[in-house]
Amino acid sequence: DLAMFQEGLNFEKIDRILNVGTDLTQAILNCEKPTIAQIQGSVIGYGCILSMACDFRIVADKPGLFFQLPELNLGIYPGTGATAAPLKTLGYLHTQEMLLTGDKYPLDVLDKWGVITKIVPIEELGKVTKKFAKNIAKADPNMVLMAQKSLKLMQSSSIDQSIQIEKQFAYYYFNTAFK
């Protein structure tokens, strides 16, 4: 909520935002069970970060729906997973593009980038998401856990390091910006 920046920030608020935000992002990124984001509206800022942290994104086919990381354009350093989560999902070039431009990216672009698992009519969103989750749950739970764990391990060291680097830069930014 950008209103918190208008109300005035102090180090205590910033510390809480960075710690809670990075902890939640990291928990989703490292979750041993598959995570599914069910998206029915535009995802901006931390909503975009959380959706990128998930393994799958099932999105309502809604006109005007977009994904956006506007932090840099708002003069806010993205320190709660805005580099690590999209990097995992989008790769370097698309993450760089989203962060540095702050542009709104519509579904068709993200679908071309391979970010969207399914685009479905809004009235079917819940049903399709539930069916998708049940399909995953049909497999032997131990096999799903092992496959998910191995995939996460292959990727996690760079993600964990990325989040810590991002957090250090965020602390540096907020310490110098609010003195």
Side-chain angles (χ1 to χ4, degrees):
D1 183 2
L2 295 175
M4 70 181 147
F5 289 95
Q6 294 168 343
E7 296 167 2
L9 285 176
N10 57 42
F11 185 77
E12 200 172 285
K13 279 185 186 177
I14 292 165
D15 189 54
R16 181 159 166 68
I17 290 166
L18 291 174
N19 283 311
V20 170
T22 54
D23 288 352
L24 180 56
T25 303
Q26 202 161 10
I28 294 170
L29 285 166
N30 293 322
C31 185
E32 292 179 352
K33 294 181 180 180
T35 54
I36 304 167
Q38 177 180 298
I39 301 166
Q40 59 187 11
S42 294
V43 287
I44 304 164
Y46 195 60
C48 186
I49 294 165
L50 290 178
S51 74
M52 295 294 172
C54 290
D55 299 309
F56 305 99
R57 279 152 298 286
I58 300 176
V59 186
D61 189 6
K62 235 172 130 176
L65 192 146
F66 63 88
F67 286 59
Q68 184 183 25
L69 293 170
E71 289 84 349
L72 295 180
N73 288 347
L74 298 171
I76 303 166
Y77 183 82
T80 55
T83 56
L87 193 59
K88 167 208 150 231
T89 303
L90 298 169
Y92 178 81
L93 291 175
H94 297 309
T95 298
Q96 182 183 37
E97 182 180 336
M98 278 190 83
L99 277 170
L100 298 183
T101 67
D103 289 346
K104 296 176 181 179
Y105 289 85
L107 285 183
D108 63 332
V109 172
L110 292 169
D111 198 28
K112 283 182 205 167
W113 290 356
V115 174
I116 307 297
T117 307
K118 291 179 183 275
I119 300 173
V120 300
I122 191 155
E123 59 275 358
E124 295 179 28
L125 185 61
K127 185 176 92 177
V128 170
T129 304
K130 191 173 185 176
K131 183 179 178 185
F132 186 83
K134 283 184 175 186
N135 193 37
I136 292 171
K138 282 185 207 173
D140 179 313
N142 291 321
M143 292 296 119
V144 171
L145 182 64
M146 285 175 47
Q148 190 73 357
K149 233 179 188 174
S150 65
L151 288 167
K152 298 284 182 170
L153 280 171
M154 290 174 203
Q155 198 175 43
S156 68
S157 63
S158 64
I159 287 174
D160 290 344
Q161 286 175 326
S162 297
I163 286 181
Q164 293 311 312
I165 291 167
E166 179 182 284
K167 193 174 179 181
Q168 288 173 348
F169 273 92
Y171 273 113
Y172 172 79
Y173 163 75
F174 284 113
N175 279 326
T176 57
F178 292 101
K179 283 193 174 185

